[in-house]
Amino acid sequence: MAKLKKTNKAKKVAPEGYESPNDFFNSVFSDKKMIWMGQNTNHLHSDDFISNAMIKCVESKEYCKYPPPEGFPHLQNLILKDLGLEDMDILITAGGTESLYVCISEIVEPHHNVITCDPGYLIIDEFASRFSNEIRSIPIYNEECGYKLTPKLLKKHMDDNTRLVILIDPLNPLGTAYTKEEIEEFALIAEENDLYILHDITYKDFARNHFSIAKYAPNHSITIFSFSKIFGMAGLRIGAVITTSELIDCVRSALINDLGTNLIAQAGAIAALESKPKWIDRIVNTTRSNQRLIKEMVDKIPDISIVAYPSDGNMLAIDIEKTGINPVDLESYLLEKKIFTRRGKYTSKRFGDKYLRVSFSVPENQLKVFIDEFPKAIEELR
């Protein structure tokens, strides 16, 4: 039998008791009593603006047709207006993950290196490893750098072959975000060294403040937009890439999905942006209130702490290293209590044994179940 070509993507290990990762996620998804605090998804949309738009689209049977291959212009314009980037170009994609892949595949050559951070969104490292010579994953799990990739760290680790720098802002899994001064300095570094900053702003609407690098270095930046989090549309897989027309032309050639992104999802996305002023404050305020409740709970338990507080995302990391508890065991214990969280190894190769990641854009009654069960879990597993 001919040898099959494989990528460098790390093999996913199924949690104990499951035949495969897919088997695990199917089990978690199918359990209607499960409290979903493991994937940074948003469960706070109590109105029907988005769902009604998609239902109307289904009833019209428009799904029999292909949508425009690069997205409906109305949706494109709404995204650009939301970001204040009306002078940029845009492609609608099947989620932010597709945007990440097509951008990395077109920008990076084999002799280049890519700078990421650890902890971070490891799928980006996996994508970059398919196209570049080296992934420089900079350790940022320390107070000195503020638990984020700083301009100082970038200067220390970059060289003439650095082509792409990944900024997840706010950062999954720690929730750290960038100041205006830091974004301006990153922009200057990109322009002076002719490299690109890929600015993943998936969680930007949860942040207290957010600054777009595209406004400071438009010719050296790519913005990744997602509907999965603040809009609560994770399962619909819709996002976008925003950059200059020149770069969009390059990315366009890498698109596999050239018959367009799910038009029902696009109908929902249009309604999401048009209705955003009606629900954004409520969802953000509830999310921040939930975070405060978690902080109050954590402060009462010896030997654990929130890594970066307050988080500017809808997730945070709880450091449990001093307890001697393995995050895998803590994740499993909570799962038995119908609470889905994520072990640190999901977002960090170096530091994954130190923390549990918890997302908190869930109804308060569900959050209170977590607050009740978490201290019991720590006491039981010590």
Side-chain angles (χ1 to χ4, degrees):
M1 184 176 181
K3 185 177 180 180
L4 298 175
K5 181 180 178 181
K6 295 184 178 181
T7 68
N8 293 325
K9 185 175 183 179
K11 183 180 179 180
K12 293 183 178 179
V13 179
E16 185 176 351
Y18 297 90
E19 293 183 1
S20 68
N22 196 73
D23 182 36
F24 166 73
F25 282 106
N26 182 63
S27 176
V28 173
F29 182 89
S30 301
D31 190 336
K32 303 307 179 185
K33 295 181 179 179
M34 189 67 66
I35 297 173
W36 209 268
M37 301 175 70
Q39 291 188 309
N40 304 342
T41 46
N42 178 9
H43 305 267
L44 294 173
H45 278 271
S46 57
D47 49 56
D48 297 319
F49 299 115
I50 299 170
S51 58
N52 282 344
M54 292 191 292
I55 290 169
K56 183 178 179 180
C57 184
V58 171
E59 290 176 340
S60 72
K61 291 188 169 54
E62 288 184 325
Y63 55 80
C64 296
K65 301 179 287 186
Y66 289 116
E70 297 176 11
F72 288 107
H74 184 42
L75 176 57
Q76 293 176 330
N77 291 333
L78 285 171
I79 294 172
L80 294 176
K81 183 179 180 181
D82 183 71
L83 298 177
L85 298 176
E86 288 93 334
D87 56 342
M88 304 294 279
D89 208 344
I90 182 172
L91 291 175
I92 305 300
T93 59
T97 303
E98 184 184 35
S99 291
L100 290 166
Y101 186 88
V102 295
C103 289
I104 292 170
S105 70
E106 286 305 295
I107 292 170
V108 175
E109 299 290 345
H111 64 282
H112 292 142
N113 63 66
V114 176
I115 292 183
T116 65
C117 66
D118 185 352
Y121 187 39
L122 294 182
I123 196 170
I124 296 177
D125 297 60
E126 294 170 353
F127 288 167
S129 70
R130 304 180 189 189
F131 305 104
S132 70
N133 175 59
E134 181 185 4
I135 311 303
R136 298 184 177 180
S137 183
I138 313 305
I140 53 95
Y141 198 83
N142 63 80
E143 291 184 9
E144 182 180 352
C145 65
Y147 297 99
K148 57 186 174 182
L149 178 64
T150 62
K152 180 180 178 180
L153 282 172
L154 173 56
K155 290 177 182 178
K156 179 180 178 181
H157 292 279
M158 62 185 283
D159 61 24
D160 291 343
N161 289 322
T162 300
R163 177 67 164 174
L164 186 64
V165 178
I166 309 297
L167 289 187
I168 307 172
D169 176 26
L171 175 63
N172 175 20
L174 306 182
T176 44
Y178 290 95
T179 65
K180 181 174 182 287
E181 291 73 23
E182 288 170 329
I183 290 295
E184 287 176 335
E185 190 169 356
F186 277 122
L188 185 61
I189 293 170
E191 290 179 333
E192 290 181 343
N193 295 275
D194 195 24
L195 55 82
Y196 292 100
I197 306 287
L198 192 152
H199 199 190
D200 183 339
I201 61 168
T202 296
Y203 303 95
K204 66 106 175 170
D205 283 302
F206 293 105
R208 292 164 295 173
N209 295 291
H210 192 269
F211 306 95
S212 172
I213 198 164
K215 294 183 179 180
Y216 301 97
N219 296 318
H220 291 84
S221 64
I222 306 103
T223 301
I224 304 298
F225 186 90
S226 173
F227 283 89
S228 293
K229 310 308 180 189
I230 195 69
F231 300 103
M233 299 174 66
L236 290 158
R237 310 310 306 128
I238 182 165
V241 52
I242 300 98
T243 186
T244 62
S245 294
E246 181 181 4
L247 271 173
I248 286 290
D249 283 342
C250 294
V251 173
R252 184 179 284 115
S253 66
L255 285 177
I256 297 172
N257 193 17
D258 62 354
L259 292 176
T261 301
N262 187 306
L263 66 82
I264 297 171
Q266 289 194 65
I270 289 169
L273 284 164
E274 290 180 338
S275 65
K276 186 177 179 181
K278 299 179 181 179
W279 50 257
I280 183 68
D281 289 343
R282 176 182 58 81
I283 286 180
V284 170
N285 290 337
T286 302
T287 301
R288 291 177 183 170
S289 175
N290 286 349
Q291 180 178 186
R292 288 192 292 270
L293 293 173
I294 294 174
K295 177 67 161 57
E296 291 171 4
M297 178 268 292
V298 166
D299 286 347
K300 297 175 183 177
I301 306 174
D303 299 325
I304 72 170
S305 61
I306 295 175
V307 177
Y309 184 86
S311 165
D312 276 305
N314 67 331
M315 87 303 288
L316 51 74
I318 302 176
D319 191 304
I320 61 172
E321 183 181 21
K322 291 180 181 179
T323 67
I325 299 171
N326 189 320
V328 174
D329 295 332
L330 182 54
E331 177 193 70
S332 298
Y333 181 100
L334 292 170
L335 200 63
E336 290 180 0
K337 303 299 180 180
K338 305 294 185 183
I339 304 168
F340 175 35
T341 58
R342 292 309 285 270
R343 63 190 72 181
K345 281 292 185 184
Y346 180 69
T347 48
S348 176
K349 295 178 180 178
R350 293 181 182 91
F351 309 106
D353 291 334
K354 296 178 182 290
Y355 65 87
L356 184 79
R357 189 192 70 185
V358 177
S359 53
F360 42 85
S361 45
V362 295
E364 187 175 314
N365 65 311
Q366 294 186 2
L367 184 87
K368 288 182 175 179
V369 176
F370 169 77
I371 289 173
D372 182 55
E373 292 293 342
F374 186 86
K376 297 176 185 178
I378 296 296
E379 182 178 358
E380 179 72 21
L381 295 172
R382 277 188 194 267

